[in-house]
Amino acid sequence: MKSIFKITVLCCLSVLFVSCFGDKKTAIGTDFNDTSFVNKSFKNNKVNFSNLNNSCQFVSKNQIAKLYNVTEDKVQIIGNELSKSCTIRVLISDNNFDFLTGAISFYKTPDKLDDGSTWVDSWQLKKGLSKSSVWIKNMGKAALYNAKKRTLFIKFNNYTMELIAPGSDFNQIEKAKKRDYKTIALTLAKNTPLLN
């Protein structure tokens, strides 16, 4: 019992450097000179940030239904014409409260920051602080997939797209299916006009 208490205390004391649970890790060892994740062939945005209102237009009920092997009426797309964020729900039973949740969002991320750093620096840190994140090649200026959060981040000029594959952290039946959320997120992203 004493040893468990001692480990817990030590864990809590080190919370600034490394998380005892979850996906966080220390940034120590991050190579801040590595820019190999930057997509050198990226030229310009195909869609500018000002034209990203109604983010629900960038996801397809039909495609989501196919990816989750459900009928289209089981897919709900929730948002409005002025929103840069859209919620995705996939009903997995006849119970209206039994659904998987995902989203697609867009938010400003300036390429150059006020402190003189660039988006490259912040993305190196974003990757360095996550145990489950991996770089994805040839998408936007750069792309990062976080498996713990089922989330794909794609950087464009001065904004980022965040796409969360519908899922559930607590539904044991869903977890047992071991879905490939990474492939789902990539498929949904590639279906947008942002990358085509």
Side-chain angles (χ1 to χ4, degrees):
M1 189 70 175
K2 285 183 179 179
S3 62
I4 293 173
F5 176 75
K6 193 180 290 183
I7 291 169
T8 304
V9 170
L10 289 172
C11 187
C12 292
L13 289 174
S14 65
V15 74
L16 292 175
F17 301 100
V18 63
S19 173
C20 299
F21 305 101
D23 190 45
K24 298 290 184 189
K25 70 172 187 178
T26 175
I28 295 170
T30 298
D31 183 0
F32 289 100
N33 293 314
D34 178 22
T35 59
S36 62
F37 62 91
V38 178
N39 184 2
K40 307 289 193 295
S41 63
F42 180 84
K43 294 183 175 65
N44 291 303
N45 296 342
K46 298 200 173 189
V47 179
N48 289 325
F49 187 75
S50 59
N51 296 324
L52 293 172
N53 293 331
N54 189 14
S55 57
C56 290
Q57 69 180 304
F58 298 107
V59 288
S60 159
K61 276 190 175 186
N62 178 266
Q63 186 177 48
I64 294 167
K66 286 179 181 176
L67 288 168
Y68 284 84
N69 197 27
V70 296
T71 55
E72 274 190 60
D73 63 301
K74 296 289 187 184
V75 179
Q76 299 175 343
I77 307 293
I78 305 165
N80 61 58
E81 292 181 3
L82 301 176
S83 177
K84 293 194 188 304
S85 183
C86 179
T87 300
I88 305 165
R89 288 182 181 169
V90 180
L91 299 173
I92 52 176
S93 76
D94 292 331
N95 181 343
N96 287 334
F97 297 100
D98 190 14
F99 55 80
L100 309 178
T101 305
I104 183 170
S105 304
F106 301 93
Y107 49 90
K108 283 186 177 180
T109 47
D111 290 355
K112 292 183 180 178
L113 307 177
D114 292 338
D115 63 4
S117 63
T118 69
W119 71 271
V120 174
D121 303 317
S122 62
W123 277 58
Q124 287 170 333
L125 190 60
K126 185 194 289 267
K127 166 73 164 59
L129 290 173
S130 169
K131 296 175 187 174
S132 70
S133 288
V134 293
W135 297 119
I136 305 294
K137 293 183 178 180
N138 304 317
M139 296 187 86
K141 297 182 82 164
L144 181 70
Y145 179 73
N146 182 312
K148 182 74 174 176
K149 297 180 178 179
R150 308 185 313 276
T151 303
L152 174 66
F153 302 92
I154 304 178
K155 180 74 174 79
F156 296 93
N157 286 332
N158 295 307
Y159 74 85
T160 297
M161 177 176 83
E162 180 179 308
L163 199 158
I164 304 170
S168 172
D169 294 331
F170 307 105
N171 187 311
Q172 296 305 314
I173 295 173
E174 171 64 14
K175 288 179 81 171
K177 291 183 178 179
K178 299 187 183 296
R179 290 189 205 270
D180 185 350
Y181 295 116
K182 179 181 174 184
T183 295
I184 290 170
L186 289 171
T187 300
L188 292 174
K190 288 174 182 175
N191 194 50
T192 70
L194 305 172
L195 298 167
N196 294 330

